[in-house]
Amino acid sequence: MSSKGFAPAKAGLRVGVVGAGVMGSNHARVLAGLPGVSLVGVVDPSPAHLTRTTELASCQGFETLDQLLAEGVDAVTIAAPTHLHHEVALACIARNVHVLVEKPIASTVAEGREIVAAAQKAGVTLMIGHVERFNPAVAAVKQAIAGEDILSIAITRVGPFPPRMSNVGVVIDLAVHDIDLIRWFTESDIVEVQPQLSSAVAEREDIALLQFRTANGVLAHINTNWLTPFKARSVTVATRGKYVMGDLLTRQVTECFGFKPDGSYSMRHLPVGHDEPLRAELIAFLKAVRNGETPAVTGDEGVASLEIATQCLETPSRPAATSSARKGPRRVAG
């Protein structure tokens, strides 16, 4: 960033996309339509993916990252498979290219920290693509609870098994979104993790019930699975003065307030914007690049959310107290 002696990048930014799958093709589509941006091209080893995306975004296609970097880019967005994030991000940072990395930042916390350290050393902007923060319904919930004493948060993120998913389970694919939201809503770190996981149908966990406590005392719960035949995404936040409900798909946010001793209360629907979350995210990234600002979702925040998700996968479930009861007949004192 500019504080390291690097001048903010010029207004007309040359941007590339690494990865031409579902997410990468959407990145390319949005970037191609942004003012002040020149989409240099998209990288993907798959000719089919590359053809589809280059036609969609009217840009060049490259088989390798080196070919894209040789064209000269100011910034890239990395939407390649997670296990490639570390290698691709470090290669771009080594060329002083600003980077947006899709969530999760990397496959491991150690790799994530290496990316953060490299970006800091090079003085380049590193932003993590936790796109749900840019969902207008999430923004409305965040605004509604600003300054409130938050007591609890419950998030549901369920749906059918995604055919594209192979190397991770629901915690890394889905729950990492909500771990980030819990940290963002509470502006606090998660200090306690109580996961319950099950692999009902898939090889990796496809059901997760996750409970958390934050450093400032908020209790939070995430319910996520790949067994529900339809998508559902909801957030509820209880504070001392309000109860806020948000549907992240229909983008309806409702606030209950003015609680009376007789049990009555008032209710209102909150205004919610219509922005496409990915477009808002990419605009925020490019603004941070141009102005040398701290990005909306920092590398450290990306690592923190991955660290909690990893803890959920590594924390053994504790057996109920009854399992330690002595076996055999009980002696009756008499």
Side-chain angles (χ1 to χ4, degrees), residues 76-200:
V76 299
T77 69
I78 300 173
T82 303
H83 69 275
L84 298 175
H85 287 186
H86 177 253
E87 176 189 340
V88 174
L90 291 184
C92 293
I93 291 165
R95 301 279 283 268
N96 285 325
V97 173
H98 304 282
V99 176
L100 170 84
V101 184
E102 267 301 334
K103 68 83 196 165
I105 183 173
S107 294
T108 67
V109 171
E111 285 186 354
R113 286 185 178 139
E114 277 185 43
I115 294 170
V116 171
Q120 286 174 342
K121 188 176 180 185
V124 301
T125 300
L126 169 65
M127 178 163 150
I128 312 308
H130 281 283
V131 72
E132 204 65 287
R133 285 207 204 179
F134 296 88
N135 184 321
V138 169
V141 171
K142 170 81 168 168
Q143 194 174 351
I145 62 176
E148 292 283 319
D149 184 6
I150 301 171
L151 303 175
S152 71
I153 298 170
I155 304 179
T156 298
R157 186 179 297 270
V158 297
F161 185 81
R164 65 183 171 81
M165 196 48 57
S166 59
N167 57 341
V168 296
V170 289
V171 171
I172 297 296
D173 184 49
L174 297 182
V176 77
H177 278 295
D178 304 310
I179 290 167
D180 177 67
L181 291 186
I182 289 165
R183 298 182 71 258
W184 191 50
F185 284 154
T186 61
E187 297 176 3
S188 180
D189 288 324
I190 291 170
V191 293
E192 279 183 46
V193 174
Q194 291 182 318
Q196 295 290 342
L197 309 175
S198 177
S199 304

Side-chain angles (χ1 to χ4, degrees), residues 48-102:
H49 284 178
L50 215 49
T51 300
R52 185 194 65 205
T53 305
T54 54
E55 287 176 1
L56 176 73
S58 301
C59 66
Q60 277 187 275
F62 303 98
E63 286 184 18
T64 69
L65 177 64
D66 284 341
Q67 289 171 339
L68 171 69
L69 295 177
E71 291 289 318
V73 288
D74 299 305
V76 299
T77 69
I78 300 173
T82 303
H83 69 275
L84 298 175
H85 287 186
H86 177 253
E87 176 189 340
V88 174
L90 291 184
C92 293
I93 291 165
R95 301 279 283 268
N96 285 325
V97 173
H98 304 282
V99 176
L100 170 84
V101 184
E102 267 301 334

Side-chain angles (χ1 to χ4, degrees), residues 84-322:
L84 298 175
H85 287 186
H86 177 253
E87 176 189 340
V88 174
L90 291 184
C92 293
I93 291 165
R95 301 279 283 268
N96 285 325
V97 173
H98 304 282
V99 176
L100 170 84
V101 184
E102 267 301 334
K103 68 83 196 165
I105 183 173
S107 294
T108 67
V109 171
E111 285 186 354
R113 286 185 178 139
E114 277 185 43
I115 294 170
V116 171
Q120 286 174 342
K121 188 176 180 185
V124 301
T125 300
L126 169 65
M127 178 163 150
I128 312 308
H130 281 283
V131 72
E132 204 65 287
R133 285 207 204 179
F134 296 88
N135 184 321
V138 169
V141 171
K142 170 81 168 168
Q143 194 174 351
I145 62 176
E148 292 283 319
D149 184 6
I150 301 171
L151 303 175
S152 71
I153 298 170
I155 304 179
T156 298
R157 186 179 297 270
V158 297
F161 185 81
R164 65 183 171 81
M165 196 48 57
S166 59
N167 57 341
V168 296
V170 289
V171 171
I172 297 296
D173 184 49
L174 297 182
V176 77
H177 278 295
D178 304 310
I179 290 167
D180 177 67
L181 291 186
I182 289 165
R183 298 182 71 258
W184 191 50
F185 284 154
T186 61
E187 297 176 3
S188 180
D189 288 324
I190 291 170
V191 293
E192 279 183 46
V193 174
Q194 291 182 318
Q196 295 290 342
L197 309 175
S198 177
S199 304
V201 178
E203 187 181 332
R204 295 178 186 262
E205 85 286 349
D206 50 19
I207 308 171
L209 298 173
L210 312 175
Q211 293 190 128
F212 307 100
R213 184 188 297 271
T214 66
N216 56 3
V218 177
L219 297 182
H221 174 261
I222 296 172
N223 169 26
T224 189
N225 70 53
W226 279 330
L227 305 179
T228 309
F230 54 87
K231 267 189 176 184
R233 309 276 190 266
S234 65
V235 174
T236 58
V237 182
T239 76
R240 290 208 184 272
K242 295 179 179 179
Y243 188 75
V244 181
M245 301 170 282
D247 186 316
L248 306 189
L249 296 181
T250 64
R251 299 190 183 176
Q252 286 186 303
V253 179
T254 307
E255 179 181 82
C256 303
F257 63 100
F259 306 114
K260 302 285 197 310
D262 65 1
S264 65
Y265 59 89
S266 301
M267 182 183 275
R268 66 183 166 214
H269 293 295
L270 300 180
V272 177
H274 298 288
D275 294 353
E276 179 187 357
L278 181 60
R279 187 173 189 273
E281 176 183 78
L282 291 172
I283 288 171
F285 168 57
L286 297 173
K287 180 173 177 283
V289 169
R290 285 193 180 100
N291 301 334
E293 298 169 350
T294 300
V297 186
T298 65
D300 285 333
E301 289 177 300
V303 168
S305 293
L306 177 60
E307 193 163 18
I308 296 299
T310 303
Q311 272 185 17
C312 289
L313 295 174
E314 292 173 350
T315 303
S317 297
R318 284 179 294 191
T322 52

